[in-house]
Amino acid sequence: MNRLFRILLVCALLVGALTPTARAQEFPIVTGTVIDSANQPVGDVLVFIDGGVSPVVTGAVGQFRLEIPTPGPHVLNFRKAGYAPRTFRMPTGQGQVGRQDVGVIQLQAGPAPTGTVAGRVVDAISRLPVSGALVAINGNTIAVTNSTGVFNIPRVPLLWGPNQFNVRHISYADVTDDVWVANVDEVLAFDVVAIPVPVAVEPEIVAEVDRTLLVYGRMRPFYERRNIGRGDFFTRREIEDRNPRELTDVFQGLPGVDLIPVGITGMRILFSRAARGLRDSCDQPAIYLDGVRIQGGLYINDVVTPEMVEGIEVYQGITEIPPQFMQPGETCGVIVIWTR
């Protein structure tokens, strides 16, 4: 019995010695419930502290449980598309171990976040600017770098919380970065260093043999669709012949296409003969850049310049749009731009 007593005593002492360490690993817990203006619970609300620490989302009944891993003070944030952001300092005592309930948090309706995405892309070896690189946010192409490697696009639709930034170019390895958006009108600035990747690029060869057009290389599908006779097409040479100052100048005089000025520099494209599809007119044709659809709300002149373009395809009605550029509900027409 004495031996057993000694063993139990040693175990008790060890547990007592470990208790402070175990307690030191405990973190305060913050709980609460999120509702809307109609006092209904709101699910999938992003809840986090400070600039994106310990993010969680509310459940179906609007409740959340957030663990605070670092000492305070902290700022508690609530974000969800369609609701105005809510931010406030956590109540006194949140730095203590234990559970604290912040009660009911009400969110009001508000717009989705937008921001400015800007930066410059340079070659990792030469440090020279990289033009013609495609810039994307969350998989949506929003810009092409100009001759100085610069891009600067305002009013880009963003997501609350994590967003993915991507730059791709046929001669360079893809560059991807994750950015956190917590505020309205964010300015996301990037300095991108692109690493060259050897690429065997098949030259473009366009020849006519016995009245048969032979095309080899990346633009072959462009010429194949052109030969079908649906839509309007502009080759690089035809673009140069028009000597456009901005890319929308290429569309001047094209039957069924009207250009509507917007603000000081914006230009909206209107398809007035889209009745060949399902509508009499359309002022929001889908835009594809090198096969990737561009995020809506951007003007062509903000995305690409005439010097960057190798070819343009214009489809003004649903009966003209090729299957690869047709999406569910796409009845407004499509503009496809191919860069050089």
Side-chain angles (χ1 to χ4, degrees):
M1 293 294 294
N2 291 336
R3 183 170 179 270
L4 178 59
F5 176 78
R6 286 196 299 269
I7 293 174
L8 292 175
L9 179 61
V10 170
C11 290
L13 292 173
L14 288 174
V15 172
L18 291 174
T19 300
T21 303
R23 288 180 177 174
Q25 297 302 316
E26 295 179 3
F27 301 119
I29 302 297
V30 178
T31 60
T33 303
V34 181
I35 62 174
D36 60 17
S37 57
N39 296 325
Q40 297 299 310
V42 183
D44 296 325
V45 177
L46 184 65
V47 185
F48 57 93
I49 60 172
D50 307 327
V53 180
S54 304
V56 298
V57 294
T58 58
V61 294
Q63 295 181 339
F64 67 91
R65 180 181 184 275
L66 181 66
E67 191 174 83
I68 310 298
T70 58
H74 295 292
V75 175
L76 193 59
N77 300 272
F78 298 85
R79 302 288 188 271
K80 181 179 173 67
Y83 293 87
R86 184 86 186 270
T87 299
F88 58 87
R89 292 191 176 276
M90 295 172 60
T92 304
Q94 293 290 351
Q96 300 175 358
V97 174
R99 174 173 171 171
Q100 302 257 347
D101 196 324
V102 296
V104 176
I105 306 298
Q106 189 175 63
L107 300 183
Q108 302 295 327
T114 62
T116 298
V117 179
R120 188 168 184 256
V121 182
V122 299
D123 187 290
I125 299 176
S126 67
R127 295 292 169 170
L128 293 175
V130 176
S131 63
L134 302 182
V135 181
I137 289 288
N138 300 322
N140 299 310
T141 302
I142 61 171
V144 178
T145 55
N146 62 20
S147 59
T148 62
V150 170
F151 57 93
N152 190 329
I153 307 299
R155 306 183 306 276
V156 176
L158 301 171
L159 302 175
W160 290 122
N163 291 254
Q164 187 177 77
F165 168 80
N166 176 262
V167 174
R168 63 186 179 92
H169 190 286
I170 191 172
S171 301
Y172 296 87
D174 284 5
V175 177
T176 301
D177 192 13
D178 294 323
V179 293
W180 186 273
V181 173
N183 302 302
V184 296
D185 300 326
E186 287 267 22
V187 177
L188 306 180
F190 301 91
D191 289 321
V192 180
V193 179
I195 300 176
V197 175
V199 178
V201 180
E202 187 177 7
E204 301 292 345
I205 302 175
V206 181
E208 189 170 341
V209 179
D210 295 331
R211 297 186 177 181
T212 300
L213 186 66
L214 303 178
V215 183
Y216 305 92
R218 184 174 68 100
M219 294 297 292
R220 180 172 181 171
F222 170 91
Y223 286 95
E224 289 176 343
R225 289 189 292 270
R226 187 188 191 198
N227 282 348
I228 294 175
R230 295 178 180 174
D232 299 287
F233 292 75
F234 297 92
T235 65
R236 178 64 203 165
R237 178 174 297 179
E238 291 167 338
I239 294 172
E240 291 177 345
D241 289 343
R242 288 176 174 256
N243 192 28
R245 184 176 62 87
E246 295 181 317
L247 192 61
T248 50
D249 294 339
V250 176
F251 300 94
Q252 290 283 359
L254 186 64
V257 176
D258 296 322
L259 301 179
I260 311 298
V262 179
I264 299 177
T265 60
M267 189 69 70
R268 178 180 296 135
I269 298 176
L270 171 68
F271 286 169
S272 58
R273 62 176 175 137
R276 290 155 62 175
L278 299 177
R279 300 175 60 178
D280 294 331
S281 64
C282 170
D283 60 356
Q284 291 182 334
I287 300 174
Y288 286 79
L289 186 63
D290 290 338
V292 179
R293 181 165 177 164
I294 296 178
Q295 177 67 43
L298 299 176
Y299 300 119
I300 287 181
N301 294 337
D302 295 332
V303 177
V304 64
T305 64
E307 294 77 16
M308 301 177 182
V309 178
E310 181 67 26
I312 302 175
E313 306 175 41
V314 181
Y315 303 103
Q316 298 186 40
I318 190 172
T319 59
E320 297 181 356
I321 303 175
Q324 59 267 48
F325 303 120
M326 175 68 75
Q327 294 189 3
E330 192 75 84
T331 62
C332 199
V334 170
I335 297 174
V336 183
I337 303 171
W338 299 100
T339 58
R340 304 177 68 180

